[in-house]
């Protein structure tokens, strides 16, 4: 069996098996037939893309889009995406699409290879590798100090092409 995910957060389902099984039964209302023109690979991207589009809507990214005629005196909006996995990359791509590439997208992750991939493949303009502390911050003060350090790394991120 291959690991798929954990249903622990879903109170309406028993966690006895989670999704560590070959077949997962969902209510029919949650299932949608893919059109013939959409293969399984593209269909698998529908949910994470929906998450990215919802996040962009909640963040009001459309309000950052350049006005008609692109006012060159206007400063470029800056967008920070935490996480350079599938959903993070899609969030960055959606932000670039909505702002027509006018916004500066910075992506941050604890894995250097992920942020490097994001910048090299045009998902983001800058990358920040978030350090993993040797000892996890426990107190509010320690967490605040850690967050300030991450914020300084984000501020210092070099944007490609500028």
């Amino acid at each position: 069996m291959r690991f798929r995910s954990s249903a622990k957060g879903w109170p309406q389902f028993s966690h006895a098996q989670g999704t560590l099984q070959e077949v997962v039964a969902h209510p029919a209302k949650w299932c949608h037939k893919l059109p013939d023109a959409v293969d399984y690979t593209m269909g698998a991207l529908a949910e994470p893309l929906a998450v990215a589009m919802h996040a962009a809507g909640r963040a009001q990214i459309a309000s950052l889009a350049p006005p008609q005629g692109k006012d060159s005196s206007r400063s470029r909006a800056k967008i920070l995406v935490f996480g350079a996995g599938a959903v993070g990359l899609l969030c960055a791509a959606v932000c670039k699409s909505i702002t027509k590439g006018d916004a500066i997208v910075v992506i941050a992750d604890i894995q250097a290879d992920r942020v490097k991939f994001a910048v090299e493949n045009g998902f983001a303009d800058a990358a920040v590798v978030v350090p993993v502390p040797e000892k996890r911050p426990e107190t509010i003060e320690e967490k605040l100090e850690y967050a300030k350090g991450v914020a300084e790394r984000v501020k210092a991120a070099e944007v490609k092409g500028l």
Side-chain angles (χ1 to χ4, degrees):
M1 257 187 266
R2 293 186 316 242
F3 177 78
R4 287 185 173 67
S5 69
S6 173
K8 183 166 57 174
W10 295 19
Q12 65 267 38
F13 296 116
S14 164
H15 187 61
Q17 292 299 320
T19 54
L20 292 174
Q21 49 197 341
E22 292 298 319
V23 177
V24 179
H26 288 296
K29 67 182 180 181
W30 291 1
C31 301
H32 305 280
K33 184 174 178 358
L34 292 175
D36 292 336
V38 178
D39 65 18
Y40 289 128
T41 301
M42 295 305 287
L45 290 173
E47 189 274 341
L49 180 59
V51 170
M53 292 174 70
H54 179 70
R58 292 285 309 261
Q60 300 178 355
I61 297 300
S63 68
L64 304 175
Q68 293 291 65
K70 270 195 176 183
D71 180 5
S72 60
S73 65
R74 188 174 73 84
S75 65
R76 294 171 70 190
K78 296 175 186 78
I79 299 167
L80 174 62
V81 176
F82 275 103
V87 173
L89 292 176
L90 285 169
C91 284
V94 165
C95 290
K96 285 201 161 273
S97 176
I98 290 172
T99 63
K100 298 174 178 43
D102 191 52
I104 297 169
V105 176
V106 178
I107 199 157
D109 198 291
I110 60 172
Q111 294 184 353
D113 58 331
R114 286 185 171 194
V115 293
K116 181 181 177 193
F117 176 89
V119 172
E120 287 178 351
N121 290 281
F123 290 95
D125 302 300
V128 175
V129 178
V130 177
V132 178
E134 288 183 31
K135 180 182 175 273
R136 186 181 183 117
E138 293 180 17
T139 67
I140 295 294
E141 292 79 15
E142 291 171 340
K143 291 176 183 180
L144 182 59
E145 195 60 35
Y146 176 75
K148 285 179 179 178
V150 172
E152 288 304 316
R153 284 178 177 257
V154 169
K155 287 181 198 173
E158 291 186 29
V159 177
K160 70 173 189 171
L162 289 184

